PDB file of all heavy atoms in Angstrom:
ATOM      1  N   ALA A  36      14.869  31.780  10.118  1.00 98.00           N
ATOM      2  CA  ALA A  36      14.447  30.404   9.869  1.00 98.00           C
ATOM      3  C   ALA A  36      15.274  29.804   8.733  1.00 98.00           C
ATOM      4  O   ALA A  36      15.395  30.402   7.661  1.00 98.00           O
ATOM      5  CB  ALA A  36      12.971  30.367   9.508  1.00 98.00           C
ATOM      6  N   THR A  37      15.849  28.649   8.978  1.00 97.00           N
ATOM      7  CA  THR A  37      16.542  27.917   7.924  1.00 97.00           C
ATOM      8  C   THR A  37      15.520  27.192   7.050  1.00 97.00           C
ATOM      9  O   THR A  37      14.327  27.141   7.382  1.00 97.00           O
ATOM     10  CB  THR A  37      17.502  26.889   8.526  1.00 97.00           C
ATOM     11  OG1 THR A  37      16.725  25.897   9.231  1.00 97.00           O
ATOM     12  CG2 THR A  37      18.481  27.541   9.488  1.00 97.00           C
ATOM     13  N   ALA A  38      15.991  26.596   5.963  1.00 98.00           N
ATOM     14  CA  ALA A  38      15.092  25.822   5.109  1.00 98.00           C
ATOM     15  C   ALA A  38      14.453  24.686   5.897  1.00 98.00           C
ATOM     16  O   ALA A  38      13.261  24.373   5.718  1.00 98.00           O
ATOM     17  CB  ALA A  38      15.854  25.282   3.899  1.00 98.00           C
ATOM     18  N   ALA A  39      15.212  24.081   6.782  1.00 98.00           N
ATOM     19  CA  ALA A  39      14.665  23.004   7.615  1.00 98.00           C
ATOM     20  C   ALA A  39      13.605  23.537   8.572  1.00 98.00           C
ATOM     21  O   ALA A  39      12.585  22.876   8.820  1.00 98.00           O
ATOM     22  CB  ALA A  39      15.792  22.325   8.392  1.00 98.00           C
ATOM     23  N   ASP A  40      13.831  24.733   9.107  1.00 98.00           N
ATOM     24  CA  ASP A  40      12.848  25.342   9.998  1.00 98.00           C
ATOM     25  C   ASP A  40      11.544  25.618   9.255  1.00 98.00           C
ATOM     26  O   ASP A  40      10.445  25.402   9.788  1.00 98.00           O
ATOM     27  CB  ASP A  40      13.383  26.657  10.566  1.00 98.00           C
ATOM     28  CG  ASP A  40      14.576  26.468  11.487  1.00 98.00           C
ATOM     29  OD1 ASP A  40      14.671  25.396  12.117  1.00 98.00           O
ATOM     30  OD2 ASP A  40      15.410  27.393  11.547  1.00 98.00           O
ATOM     31  N   VAL A  41      11.673  26.108   8.028  1.00 98.00           N
ATOM     32  CA  VAL A  41      10.483  26.408   7.227  1.00 98.00           C
ATOM     33  C   VAL A  41       9.719  25.122   6.932  1.00 98.00           C
ATOM     34  O   VAL A  41       8.475  25.071   7.055  1.00 98.00           O
ATOM     35  CB  VAL A  41      10.873  27.130   5.928  1.00 98.00           C
ATOM     36  CG1 VAL A  41       9.657  27.297   5.015  1.00 98.00           C
ATOM     37  CG2 VAL A  41      11.495  28.491   6.231  1.00 98.00           C
ATOM     38  N   ALA A  42      10.431  24.077   6.525  1.00 98.00           N
ATOM     39  CA  ALA A  42       9.781  22.797   6.236  1.00 98.00           C
ATOM     40  C   ALA A  42       9.065  22.259   7.462  1.00 98.00           C
ATOM     41  O   ALA A  42       7.948  21.726   7.372  1.00 98.00           O
ATOM     42  CB  ALA A  42      10.807  21.796   5.725  1.00 98.00           C
ATOM     43  N   ALA A  43       9.687  22.401   8.629  1.00 98.00           N
ATOM     44  CA  ALA A  43       9.061  21.921   9.866  1.00 98.00           C
ATOM     45  C   ALA A  43       7.803  22.728  10.190  1.00 98.00           C
ATOM     46  O   ALA A  43       6.799  22.168  10.652  1.00 98.00           O
ATOM     47  CB  ALA A  43      10.061  22.008  11.021  1.00 98.00           C
ATOM     48  N   ALA A  44       7.851  24.030   9.937  1.00 98.00           N
ATOM     49  CA  ALA A  44       6.674  24.869  10.179  1.00 98.00           C
ATOM     50  C   ALA A  44       5.512  24.441   9.285  1.00 98.00           C
ATOM     51  O   ALA A  44       4.357  24.397   9.722  1.00 98.00           O
ATOM     52  CB  ALA A  44       7.014  26.337   9.946  1.00 98.00           C
ATOM     53  N   VAL A  45       5.814  24.127   8.038  1.00 98.00           N
ATOM     54  CA  VAL A  45       4.764  23.696   7.111  1.00 98.00           C
ATOM     55  C   VAL A  45       4.169  22.362   7.553  1.00 98.00           C
ATOM     56  O   VAL A  45       2.954  22.149   7.479  1.00 98.00           O
ATOM     57  CB  VAL A  45       5.309  23.618   5.673  1.00 98.00           C
ATOM     58  CG1 VAL A  45       4.291  22.976   4.729  1.00 98.00           C
ATOM     59  CG2 VAL A  45       5.667  25.019   5.173  1.00 98.00           C
ATOM     60  N   GLU A  46       5.000  21.457   8.047  1.00 98.00           N
ATOM     61  CA  GLU A  46       4.486  20.174   8.537  1.00 98.00           C
ATOM     62  C   GLU A  46       3.583  20.376   9.752  1.00 98.00           C
ATOM     63  O   GLU A  46       2.532  19.727   9.883  1.00 98.00           O
ATOM     64  CB  GLU A  46       5.638  19.230   8.863  1.00 98.00           C
ATOM     65  CG  GLU A  46       6.299  18.633   7.640  1.00 98.00           C
ATOM     66  CD  GLU A  46       5.298  17.960   6.711  1.00 98.00           C
ATOM     67  OE1 GLU A  46       4.553  17.066   7.179  1.00 98.00           O
ATOM     68  OE2 GLU A  46       5.223  18.346   5.527  1.00 98.00           O
ATOM     69  N   ARG A  47       3.989  21.261  10.642  1.00 98.00           N
ATOM     70  CA  ARG A  47       3.124  21.566  11.792  1.00 98.00           C
ATOM     71  C   ARG A  47       1.814  22.177  11.326  1.00 98.00           C
ATOM     72  O   ARG A  47       0.737  21.855  11.846  1.00 98.00           O
ATOM     73  CB  ARG A  47       3.833  22.518  12.750  1.00 98.00           C
ATOM     74  CG  ARG A  47       5.012  21.909  13.507  1.00 98.00           C
ATOM     75  CD  ARG A  47       5.475  22.822  14.624  1.00 98.00           C
ATOM     76  NE  ARG A  47       5.993  24.100  14.125  1.00 98.00           N
ATOM     77  CZ  ARG A  47       7.249  24.336  13.814  1.00 98.00           C
ATOM     78  NH1 ARG A  47       8.161  23.363  13.907  1.00 98.00           N
ATOM     79  NH2 ARG A  47       7.634  25.535  13.395  1.00 98.00           N
ATOM     80  N   ALA A  48       1.907  23.047  10.340  1.00 98.00           N
ATOM     81  CA  ALA A  48       0.708  23.691   9.803  1.00 98.00           C
ATOM     82  C   ALA A  48      -0.227  22.673   9.160  1.00 98.00           C
ATOM     83  O   ALA A  48      -1.456  22.807   9.236  1.00 98.00           O
ATOM     84  CB  ALA A  48       1.100  24.772   8.797  1.00 98.00           C
ATOM     85  N   ARG A  49       0.346  21.656   8.523  1.00 98.00           N
ATOM     86  CA  ARG A  49      -0.497  20.669   7.858  1.00 98.00           C
ATOM     87  C   ARG A  49      -1.375  19.935   8.862  1.00 98.00           C
ATOM     88  O   ARG A  49      -2.566  19.717   8.631  1.00 98.00           O
ATOM     89  CB  ARG A  49       0.366  19.689   7.065  1.00 98.00           C
ATOM     90  CG  ARG A  49      -0.444  18.861   6.093  1.00 98.00           C
ATOM     91  CD  ARG A  49       0.418  18.245   5.026  1.00 98.00           C
ATOM     92  NE  ARG A  49       1.200  19.218   4.289  1.00 98.00           N
ATOM     93  CZ  ARG A  49       0.712  20.061   3.380  1.00 98.00           C
ATOM     94  NH1 ARG A  49      -0.581  20.061   3.121  1.00 98.00           N
ATOM     95  NH2 ARG A  49       1.496  20.897   2.746  1.00 98.00           N
ATOM     96  N   ALA A  50      -0.778  19.553   9.972  1.00 97.00           N
ATOM     97  CA  ALA A  50      -1.578  18.907  11.011  1.00 97.00           C
ATOM     98  C   ALA A  50      -2.583  19.885  11.610  1.00 97.00           C
ATOM     99  O   ALA A  50      -3.748  19.536  11.861  1.00 97.00           O
ATOM    100  CB  ALA A  50      -0.655  18.350  12.092  1.00 97.00           C
ATOM    101  N   ALA A  51      -2.151  21.133  11.827  1.00 98.00           N
ATOM    102  CA  ALA A  51      -3.044  22.141  12.408  1.00 98.00           C
ATOM    103  C   ALA A  51      -4.208  22.463  11.481  1.00 98.00           C
ATOM    104  O   ALA A  51      -5.316  22.775  11.937  1.00 98.00           O
ATOM    105  CB  ALA A  51      -2.257  23.409  12.719  1.00 98.00           C
ATOM    106  N   SER A  52      -3.981  22.399  10.178  1.00 98.00           N
ATOM    107  CA  SER A  52      -5.035  22.745   9.219  1.00 98.00           C
ATOM    108  C   SER A  52      -6.215  21.789   9.316  1.00 98.00           C
ATOM    109  O   SER A  52      -7.369  22.191   9.101  1.00 98.00           O
ATOM    110  CB  SER A  52      -4.474  22.762   7.793  1.00 98.00           C
ATOM    111  OG  SER A  52      -4.151  21.453   7.344  1.00 98.00           O
TER     112      SER A  52
END
Side-chain angles (χ1 to χ4, degrees):
T37 65
D40 294 331
V41 173
V45 172
E46 285 307 305
R47 290 191 296 270
R49 194 161 304 286
S52 70

